Amino acid sequence: QPFPVKPPPLVPLEFGPSLVTDISPEARRHVLQRLESMRYGPIFTPTALNRPTVRLPGFFGGASWSGASFNPETGRLFVNTNNIPREHQLEATVPGSRDPYRNTGYGRFVDHEGYPAVKPPWGLLQSLDLNRGERAWQEVLGEFPELRARGVPKTGTENLGGTIVTAGGLVFVGGTKDAFFRAFDQESGRLLWETRLPWAGYATPCTYSVRGRQFVVIAAAGGGKLATPAGDAYVA
């Protein structure tokens, strides 16, 4: 398997004790105890039989189905990423089946409270300088207010739905479990604006112009694979 030399990986490409969550002693202890009975290692570690295998990147990425946005004038690419471990395993099927093994599922690997088993950040917005093959900046994307209230630094959240970048220098992205829609400065990565959507916006926004006035719109319906409250709205 060839590995690119540049740019650097967007997310960790392995899992082990050094990457176990540190948001609380209880969370770390729970995950380390579970890890004793699991298989883990670098990307492409073969799946174990009758024993969970940890996958990092998980099945939603790294970068996900929503892809990235690109500014051809600056050579910058903007992509939101996940750092969410998954666990799955193989088990034998009944004798005579067409396939000797089956996959038991794609469960999230979490701590005792349901938060990801890996150290934060769990969600990032990243900018890559494609002219140099280097990361220009990265910012934590999303948060869990209940963790912030306990003194845990901003963690980011799992996110689904991509970015758009505008000629005016903004990067728009939704996608986070906290249901915010945000605009970042494309040069520095600084958060410039955010608003709470009625439901999470697990979608890539679009932009259009009417009589010289530019709008950005995102589908905000929540629910789905991240299982947050569900609704039905387009927000412009």
Side-chain angles (χ1 to χ4, degrees), residues 163-209:
T163 66
I164 60 171
V165 58
T166 70
L170 301 176
V171 179
F172 286 97
V173 63
T176 52
K177 295 182 74 173
D178 59 11
F180 274 85
F181 188 42
R182 298 176 168 94
F184 295 82
D185 180 271
Q186 68 167 287
E187 186 61 33
S188 67
R190 183 168 61 93
L191 177 65
L192 299 176
W193 171 86
E194 62 183 1
T195 188
R196 184 75 180 267
L197 299 170
W199 299 280
Y202 302 138
T204 300
C206 70
T207 185
Y208 59 92
S209 180

Short mmCIF file of all heavy atoms in Angstrom, two decimals, residues 163-209:
data_model
loop_
_atom_site.label_atom_id
_atom_site.label_comp_id
_atom_site.label_asym_id
_atom_site.label_seq_id
_atom_site.Cartn_x
_atom_site.Cartn_y
_atom_site.Cartn_z
N THR A 163 -17.51 21.44 3.45
CA THR A 163 -17.25 22.88 3.47
C THR A 163 -17.53 23.50 2.10
O THR A 163 -17.53 22.82 1.07
CB THR A 163 -15.79 23.17 3.81
OG1 THR A 163 -14.95 22.67 2.74
CG2 THR A 163 -15.37 22.51 5.10
N ILE A 164 -17.75 24.81 2.11
CA ILE A 164 -17.62 25.61 0.89
C ILE A 164 -16.72 26.80 1.22
O ILE A 164 -16.66 27.26 2.37
CB ILE A 164 -18.97 26.10 0.31
CG1 ILE A 164 -19.72 26.96 1.33
CG2 ILE A 164 -19.81 24.93 -0.16
CD1 ILE A 164 -20.94 27.65 0.74
N VAL A 165 -16.00 27.28 0.22
CA VAL A 165 -15.16 28.45 0.40
C VAL A 165 -15.60 29.50 -0.62
O VAL A 165 -15.93 29.17 -1.76
CB VAL A 165 -13.66 28.11 0.23
CG1 VAL A 165 -13.37 27.49 -1.13
CG2 VAL A 165 -12.78 29.33 0.47
N THR A 166 -15.66 30.76 -0.19
CA THR A 166 -16.14 31.83 -1.05
C THR A 166 -14.98 32.73 -1.49
O THR A 166 -13.92 32.77 -0.86
CB THR A 166 -17.18 32.70 -0.32
OG1 THR A 166 -16.52 33.46 0.69
CG2 THR A 166 -18.26 31.83 0.30
N ALA A 167 -15.21 33.45 -2.58
CA ALA A 167 -14.20 34.38 -3.08
C ALA A 167 -13.92 35.51 -2.09
O ALA A 167 -12.87 36.13 -2.12
CB ALA A 167 -14.64 34.96 -4.42
N GLY A 168 -14.87 35.75 -1.19
CA GLY A 168 -14.69 36.79 -0.18
C GLY A 168 -13.84 36.37 1.00
O GLY A 168 -13.68 37.15 1.93
N GLY A 169 -13.35 35.12 0.99
CA GLY A 169 -12.42 34.70 2.03
C GLY A 169 -13.02 33.94 3.19
O GLY A 169 -12.39 33.85 4.25
N LEU A 170 -14.22 33.38 3.03
CA LEU A 170 -14.88 32.67 4.11
C LEU A 170 -14.96 31.18 3.81
O LEU A 170 -15.13 30.77 2.66
CB LEU A 170 -16.30 33.20 4.32
CG LEU A 170 -16.43 34.69 4.66
CD1 LEU A 170 -17.90 35.08 4.75
CD2 LEU A 170 -15.71 35.00 5.95
N VAL A 171 -14.86 30.38 4.87
CA VAL A 171 -15.13 28.95 4.79
C VAL A 171 -16.35 28.66 5.65
O VAL A 171 -16.34 28.91 6.87
CB VAL A 171 -13.93 28.11 5.30
CG1 VAL A 171 -14.26 26.62 5.23
CG2 VAL A 171 -12.68 28.42 4.49
N PHE A 172 -17.42 28.16 5.03
CA PHE A 172 -18.64 27.82 5.75
C PHE A 172 -18.71 26.32 5.96
O PHE A 172 -18.42 25.54 5.04
CB PHE A 172 -19.87 28.27 4.95
CG PHE A 172 -20.12 29.75 4.96
CD1 PHE A 172 -19.68 30.54 3.91
CD2 PHE A 172 -20.80 30.35 6.01
CE1 PHE A 172 -19.90 31.92 3.90
CE2 PHE A 172 -21.03 31.72 6.01
CZ PHE A 172 -20.58 32.51 4.96
N VAL A 173 -19.14 25.91 7.16
CA VAL A 173 -19.29 24.48 7.45
C VAL A 173 -20.30 24.30 8.56
O VAL A 173 -20.36 25.06 9.52
CB VAL A 173 -17.92 23.85 7.83
CG1 VAL A 173 -17.35 24.46 9.09
CG2 VAL A 173 -18.02 22.33 7.95
N GLY A 174 -21.13 23.28 8.42
CA GLY A 174 -22.04 22.82 9.48
C GLY A 174 -21.53 21.47 9.95
O GLY A 174 -20.38 21.31 10.33
N GLY A 175 -22.41 20.47 9.92
CA GLY A 175 -21.99 19.09 10.10
C GLY A 175 -21.79 18.60 11.51
O GLY A 175 -21.69 17.39 11.74
N THR A 176 -21.69 19.49 12.51
CA THR A 176 -21.34 19.06 13.86
C THR A 176 -22.57 18.67 14.68
O THR A 176 -23.67 19.16 14.44
CB THR A 176 -20.59 20.18 14.60
OG1 THR A 176 -21.36 21.39 14.52
CG2 THR A 176 -19.22 20.41 13.98
N LYS A 177 -22.36 17.82 15.69
CA LYS A 177 -23.46 17.34 16.52
C LYS A 177 -24.05 18.44 17.38
O LYS A 177 -25.18 18.31 17.86
CB LYS A 177 -22.98 16.19 17.41
CG LYS A 177 -22.58 14.96 16.63
CD LYS A 177 -22.15 13.82 17.53
CE LYS A 177 -23.34 13.17 18.23
NZ LYS A 177 -22.96 11.96 18.98
N ASP A 178 -23.33 19.55 17.59
CA ASP A 178 -23.87 20.65 18.39
C ASP A 178 -24.82 21.55 17.62
O ASP A 178 -25.33 22.53 18.16
CB ASP A 178 -22.75 21.47 19.03
CG ASP A 178 -21.80 22.09 18.00
OD1 ASP A 178 -22.11 22.06 16.79
OD2 ASP A 178 -20.74 22.59 18.42
N ALA A 179 -25.04 21.25 16.34
CA ALA A 179 -26.03 21.93 15.49
C ALA A 179 -25.69 23.39 15.19
O ALA A 179 -26.57 24.19 14.89
CB ALA A 179 -27.43 21.85 16.11
N PHE A 180 -24.40 23.74 15.21
CA PHE A 180 -24.01 25.09 14.83
C PHE A 180 -23.59 25.13 13.35
O PHE A 180 -23.11 24.13 12.79
CB PHE A 180 -22.85 25.59 15.69
CG PHE A 180 -23.30 26.21 16.98
CD1 PHE A 180 -23.56 25.43 18.10
CD2 PHE A 180 -23.48 27.58 17.07
CE1 PHE A 180 -23.98 26.01 19.28
CE2 PHE A 180 -23.90 28.17 18.25
CZ PHE A 180 -24.15 27.38 19.36
N PHE A 181 -23.78 26.29 12.76
CA PHE A 181 -23.29 26.59 11.41
C PHE A 181 -22.27 27.72 11.56
O PHE A 181 -22.55 28.72 12.22
CB PHE A 181 -24.46 27.02 10.52
CG PHE A 181 -24.12 27.17 9.07
CD1 PHE A 181 -23.32 26.25 8.42
CD2 PHE A 181 -24.62 28.25 8.34
CE1 PHE A 181 -23.01 26.39 7.07
CE2 PHE A 181 -24.33 28.39 6.99
CZ PHE A 181 -23.52 27.46 6.36
N ARG A 182 -21.08 27.55 10.98
CA ARG A 182 -19.97 28.44 11.29
C ARG A 182 -19.31 28.98 10.03
O ARG A 182 -19.33 28.33 8.98
CB ARG A 182 -18.93 27.70 12.14
CG ARG A 182 -19.44 27.24 13.50
CD ARG A 182 -18.40 26.43 14.24
NE ARG A 182 -18.77 26.21 15.65
CZ ARG A 182 -19.40 25.12 16.09
NH1 ARG A 182 -19.73 24.16 15.24
NH2 ARG A 182 -19.71 25.01 17.37
N ALA A 183 -18.67 30.15 10.18
CA ALA A 183 -17.86 30.74 9.12
C ALA A 183 -16.47 31.03 9.69
O ALA A 183 -16.34 31.64 10.76
CB ALA A 183 -18.49 32.03 8.60
N PHE A 184 -15.44 30.58 8.97
CA PHE A 184 -14.05 30.77 9.37
C PHE A 184 -13.32 31.62 8.35
O PHE A 184 -13.66 31.61 7.15
CB PHE A 184 -13.34 29.42 9.49
CG PHE A 184 -13.87 28.52 10.58
CD1 PHE A 184 -14.99 27.75 10.38
CD2 PHE A 184 -13.23 28.46 11.80
CE1 PHE A 184 -15.48 26.90 11.37
CE2 PHE A 184 -13.69 27.62 12.81
CZ PHE A 184 -14.82 26.84 12.60
N ASP A 185 -12.31 32.33 8.81
CA ASP A 185 -11.43 33.07 7.89
C ASP A 185 -10.54 32.07 7.17
O ASP A 185 -9.84 31.29 7.80
CB ASP A 185 -10.58 34.05 8.69
CG ASP A 185 -9.64 34.84 7.79
OD1 ASP A 185 -8.51 34.36 7.56
OD2 ASP A 185 -10.04 35.91 7.32
N GLN A 186 -10.57 32.08 5.82
CA GLN A 186 -9.85 31.04 5.10
C GLN A 186 -8.33 31.20 5.18
O GLN A 186 -7.60 30.24 4.99
CB GLN A 186 -10.28 30.99 3.63
CG GLN A 186 -9.90 32.18 2.78
CD GLN A 186 -10.08 31.89 1.30
OE1 GLN A 186 -9.31 31.16 0.69
NE2 GLN A 186 -11.12 32.47 0.72
N GLU A 187 -7.86 32.38 5.51
CA GLU A 187 -6.42 32.59 5.58
C GLU A 187 -5.84 32.14 6.93
O GLU A 187 -4.79 31.49 6.97
CB GLU A 187 -6.10 34.07 5.36
CG GLU A 187 -4.61 34.38 5.28
CD GLU A 187 -3.91 33.68 4.13
OE1 GLU A 187 -4.54 33.48 3.07
OE2 GLU A 187 -2.72 33.31 4.29
N SER A 188 -6.55 32.46 8.02
CA SER A 188 -6.01 32.20 9.35
C SER A 188 -6.69 31.06 10.08
O SER A 188 -6.15 30.52 11.05
CB SER A 188 -6.14 33.46 10.21
OG SER A 188 -7.50 33.77 10.45
N GLY A 189 -7.92 30.70 9.67
CA GLY A 189 -8.68 29.70 10.38
C GLY A 189 -9.47 30.25 11.56
O GLY A 189 -10.13 29.50 12.28
N ARG A 190 -9.46 31.55 11.77
CA ARG A 190 -10.15 32.15 12.90
C ARG A 190 -11.67 32.08 12.72
O ARG A 190 -12.18 32.35 11.64
CB ARG A 190 -9.72 33.61 13.07
CG ARG A 190 -10.34 34.32 14.28
CD ARG A 190 -9.62 35.63 14.53
NE ARG A 190 -9.75 36.55 13.40
CZ ARG A 190 -10.71 37.47 13.29
NH1 ARG A 190 -11.62 37.59 14.25
NH2 ARG A 190 -10.73 38.28 12.25
N LEU A 191 -12.37 31.66 13.77
CA LEU A 191 -13.83 31.64 13.73
C LEU A 191 -14.36 33.06 13.70
O LEU A 191 -14.07 33.87 14.58
CB LEU A 191 -14.38 30.90 14.96
CG LEU A 191 -15.90 30.86 15.09
CD1 LEU A 191 -16.52 30.04 13.96
CD2 LEU A 191 -16.30 30.28 16.45
N LEU A 192 -15.15 33.38 12.66
CA LEU A 192 -15.67 34.73 12.49
C LEU A 192 -17.13 34.87 12.90
O LEU A 192 -17.57 35.95 13.30
CB LEU A 192 -15.52 35.16 11.02
CG LEU A 192 -14.10 35.20 10.46
CD1 LEU A 192 -14.14 35.55 8.99
CD2 LEU A 192 -13.25 36.20 11.24
N TRP A 193 -17.89 33.77 12.80
CA TRP A 193 -19.34 33.85 13.00
C TRP A 193 -19.89 32.46 13.21
O TRP A 193 -19.35 31.48 12.66
CB TRP A 193 -19.97 34.49 11.76
CG TRP A 193 -21.48 34.46 11.69
CD1 TRP A 193 -22.35 35.36 12.23
CD2 TRP A 193 -22.28 33.47 11.02
NE1 TRP A 193 -23.65 35.00 11.94
CE2 TRP A 193 -23.63 33.85 11.19
CE3 TRP A 193 -21.99 32.33 10.29
CZ2 TRP A 193 -24.69 33.11 10.67
CZ3 TRP A 193 -23.04 31.58 9.76
CH2 TRP A 193 -24.37 31.97 9.95
N GLU A 194 -20.95 32.35 14.02
CA GLU A 194 -21.64 31.07 14.17
C GLU A 194 -23.08 31.33 14.55
O GLU A 194 -23.41 32.37 15.14
CB GLU A 194 -20.96 30.18 15.21
CG GLU A 194 -20.93 30.74 16.61
CD GLU A 194 -20.18 29.84 17.59
OE1 GLU A 194 -19.67 28.79 17.16
OE2 GLU A 194 -20.13 30.19 18.78
N THR A 195 -23.93 30.39 14.19
CA THR A 195 -25.34 30.49 14.55
C THR A 195 -25.86 29.09 14.83
O THR A 195 -25.40 28.11 14.23
CB THR A 195 -26.16 31.14 13.43
OG1 THR A 195 -27.49 31.39 13.89
CG2 THR A 195 -26.24 30.27 12.19
N ARG A 196 -26.80 28.99 15.75
CA ARG A 196 -27.39 27.70 16.09
C ARG A 196 -28.52 27.39 15.11
O ARG A 196 -29.42 28.20 14.90
CB ARG A 196 -27.92 27.73 17.52
CG ARG A 196 -28.48 26.40 18.02
CD ARG A 196 -27.36 25.44 18.33
NE ARG A 196 -27.86 24.17 18.81
CZ ARG A 196 -28.02 23.87 20.11
NH1 ARG A 196 -27.73 24.78 21.03
NH2 ARG A 196 -28.45 22.69 20.47
N LEU A 197 -28.45 26.23 14.49
CA LEU A 197 -29.50 25.78 13.57
C LEU A 197 -30.63 25.13 14.36
O LEU A 197 -30.41 24.65 15.48
CB LEU A 197 -28.92 24.79 12.57
CG LEU A 197 -27.81 25.32 11.65
CD1 LEU A 197 -27.16 24.16 10.89
CD2 LEU A 197 -28.35 26.36 10.69
N PRO A 198 -31.84 25.05 13.79
CA PRO A 198 -32.93 24.38 14.51
C PRO A 198 -32.65 22.90 14.73
O PRO A 198 -33.08 22.32 15.72
CB PRO A 198 -34.15 24.62 13.62
CG PRO A 198 -33.59 24.94 12.27
CD PRO A 198 -32.29 25.63 12.52
N TRP A 199 -31.96 22.28 13.78
CA TRP A 199 -31.47 20.92 13.89
C TRP A 199 -30.10 20.87 13.23
O TRP A 199 -29.76 21.75 12.45
CB TRP A 199 -32.41 19.93 13.22
CG TRP A 199 -33.78 19.93 13.83
CD1 TRP A 199 -34.17 19.31 14.98
CD2 TRP A 199 -34.94 20.62 13.34
NE1 TRP A 199 -35.50 19.57 15.25
CE2 TRP A 199 -35.99 20.36 14.26
CE3 TRP A 199 -35.20 21.43 12.24
CZ2 TRP A 199 -37.26 20.88 14.10
CZ3 TRP A 199 -36.47 21.95 12.08
CH2 TRP A 199 -37.49 21.69 12.99
N ALA A 200 -29.32 19.86 13.55
CA ALA A 200 -27.96 19.80 13.03
C ALA A 200 -27.96 19.76 11.50
O ALA A 200 -28.84 19.16 10.87
CB ALA A 200 -27.25 18.57 13.58
N GLY A 201 -26.95 20.40 10.90
CA GLY A 201 -26.87 20.51 9.45
C GLY A 201 -25.89 19.51 8.87
O GLY A 201 -24.75 19.88 8.54
N TYR A 202 -26.30 18.24 8.75
CA TYR A 202 -25.43 17.20 8.21
C TYR A 202 -25.46 17.24 6.69
O TYR A 202 -25.98 16.33 6.02
CB TYR A 202 -25.85 15.83 8.72
CG TYR A 202 -25.83 15.73 10.23
CD1 TYR A 202 -26.86 15.07 10.91
CD2 TYR A 202 -24.79 16.27 10.98
CE1 TYR A 202 -26.85 14.98 12.29
CE2 TYR A 202 -24.78 16.19 12.36
CZ TYR A 202 -25.81 15.53 13.02
OH TYR A 202 -25.80 15.44 14.38
N ALA A 203 -24.94 18.32 6.14
CA ALA A 203 -25.00 18.55 4.70
C ALA A 203 -23.91 19.54 4.31
O ALA A 203 -23.40 20.27 5.16
CB ALA A 203 -26.37 19.11 4.30
N THR A 204 -23.55 19.55 3.04
CA THR A 204 -22.64 20.57 2.52
C THR A 204 -23.48 21.77 2.09
O THR A 204 -24.44 21.61 1.33
CB THR A 204 -21.85 20.01 1.33
OG1 THR A 204 -21.08 18.89 1.77
CG2 THR A 204 -20.92 21.06 0.76
N PRO A 205 -23.16 22.96 2.56
CA PRO A 205 -23.95 24.14 2.17
C PRO A 205 -23.73 24.50 0.71
O PRO A 205 -22.80 24.02 0.05
CB PRO A 205 -23.41 25.24 3.09
CG PRO A 205 -22.05 24.79 3.49
CD PRO A 205 -22.07 23.30 3.49
N CYS A 206 -24.60 25.37 0.19
CA CYS A 206 -24.40 25.93 -1.15
C CYS A 206 -24.56 27.44 -1.06
O CYS A 206 -25.05 27.97 -0.07
CB CYS A 206 -25.36 25.32 -2.17
SG CYS A 206 -27.08 25.80 -1.97
N THR A 207 -24.12 28.13 -2.10
CA THR A 207 -24.23 29.59 -2.12
C THR A 207 -24.75 30.04 -3.46
O THR A 207 -24.51 29.38 -4.49
CB THR A 207 -22.87 30.24 -1.80
OG1 THR A 207 -23.04 31.67 -1.70
CG2 THR A 207 -21.82 29.92 -2.84
N TYR A 208 -25.49 31.14 -3.45
CA TYR A 208 -26.08 31.67 -4.68
C TYR A 208 -26.31 33.16 -4.51
O TYR A 208 -26.24 33.69 -3.40
CB TYR A 208 -27.42 30.96 -5.00
CG TYR A 208 -28.45 31.08 -3.92
CD1 TYR A 208 -29.39 32.11 -3.93
CD2 TYR A 208 -28.49 30.17 -2.86
CE1 TYR A 208 -30.34 32.23 -2.93
CE2 TYR A 208 -29.43 30.28 -1.85
CZ TYR A 208 -30.36 31.31 -1.89
OH TYR A 208 -31.29 31.43 -0.89
N SER A 209 -26.58 33.84 -5.61
CA SER A 209 -26.75 35.28 -5.59
C SER A 209 -28.11 35.66 -6.18
O SER A 209 -28.54 35.08 -7.20
CB SER A 209 -25.64 35.97 -6.39
OG SER A 209 -25.79 37.37 -6.37
#
